[in-house]
Amino acid sequence: MSNPILDLFLEAAWQTFAMVGISSLIALLAGVPLAVILVITAPGGLWEQRVVNRVLGAVINGFRSTPFIILLVALLPITRLIVGTTIGTAAAIVPLAIAATPFFARVAEVSLREVDKGLIEAAQAMGARKAEIVWHVLLPEALPSLIAGFTLTIITLIGASAMAGAVGAGGLGDLAIRYGYQRFETDIMLGVIAVLIALVALVQRTGDRLAARVNKRA
């Protein structure tokens, strides 16, 4: 015989995993290229293009400076256009991904800028092309820091997904609001908090171990 409370937790946890997993993957796939463009088009970069750098930087800063709850509401027309609805887990993925991508792009940019300039100059001296320097020098050398930044992005998304529950996105945040807050079921509220803490700890531990494993200088 199934336990209704356990079923609620499992369904909410699955919705949270779906929201965070898909939106973080989109942020990874879009954020790294954006970070690379920001770095190579910056003054003194491999492909200096100040106009491109400033415009892209301004767009990224615009999304980053907008609080997520406001961005969530502002993107409702785009969300409806993409997924056909503004309610539910699928609808929450759109603003989550759009919010996470510029955040991770800036984090990844910092990681790429920390790569030793001497390595880049050595690669240039050996006749390496720009694409080769990016692929074989910048990204591999920045990989441990990129993993740490991506871990931070996932943790940020976990918090944002809980916030998205306030507007009917489902997940653990929605469970806490509908049952823990509106129905005064404190045990469910505490249970959600415990699950979120455990999830964040698991993500942080996994990210730290993976970053240490790929760090050749550790």
Side-chain angles (χ1 to χ4, degrees):
M1 188 173 181
S2 63
N3 186 324
I5 300 299
L6 179 60
D7 291 342
L8 284 174
F9 267 97
L10 291 176
E11 181 182 6
W14 170 250
Q15 291 170 341
T16 296
F17 291 151
M19 285 188 286
V20 174
I22 297 175
S23 56
S24 61
L25 179 60
I26 294 172
L28 176 65
L29 296 177
V32 171
L34 287 174
V36 169
I37 294 173
L38 285 171
V39 171
I40 66 174
T41 58
L46 293 172
W47 184 58
E48 185 174 335
Q49 296 288 332
R50 299 195 177 193
V51 175
V52 174
N53 186 270
R54 288 175 181 174
V55 171
L56 181 59
V59 172
I60 289 176
N61 288 340
F63 279 100
R64 283 188 62 207
S65 62
T66 305
F68 176 70
I69 193 66
I70 296 177
L71 189 65
L72 183 68
V73 175
L75 291 174
L76 287 178
I78 296 177
T79 300
R80 184 181 292 108
L81 180 65
I82 295 175
V83 299
T85 182
T86 58
I87 301 175
T89 302
I93 292 173
V94 175
L96 283 171
I98 292 176
T101 297
F103 175 84
F104 179 60
R106 283 301 188 187
V107 172
E109 179 193 6
V110 173
S111 300
L112 293 172
R113 289 189 187 279
E114 291 177 347
V115 174
D116 188 355
K117 301 296 183 183
L119 295 174
I120 299 175
E121 293 172 357
Q124 290 175 319
M126 290 187 291
R129 293 176 297 179
K130 294 180 177 65
E132 292 174 333
I133 294 174
V134 170
W135 189 253
H136 297 292
V137 179
L138 275 178
L139 292 176
E141 288 297 319
L143 186 56
S145 183
L146 287 173
I147 292 174
F150 186 57
T151 301
L152 175 62
T153 302
I154 294 175
I155 292 173
T156 302
L157 278 171
I158 292 173
S161 70
M163 191 185 306
V167 291
L172 293 169
D174 179 60
L175 179 64
I177 292 171
R178 285 194 296 118
Y179 289 85
Y181 176 70
Q182 295 178 349
R183 301 187 184 184
F184 303 101
E185 298 187 26
T186 308
D187 54 338
I188 292 183
M189 177 71 79
L190 295 176
V192 169
I193 293 173
V195 171
L196 289 174
I197 291 174
L199 182 58
V200 168
L202 177 62
V203 171
Q204 186 67 64
R205 185 176 180 83
T206 303
D208 289 344
R209 285 189 172 185
L210 186 57
R213 180 173 297 181
V214 301
N215 191 352
K216 295 178 293 185
R217 294 164 294 180

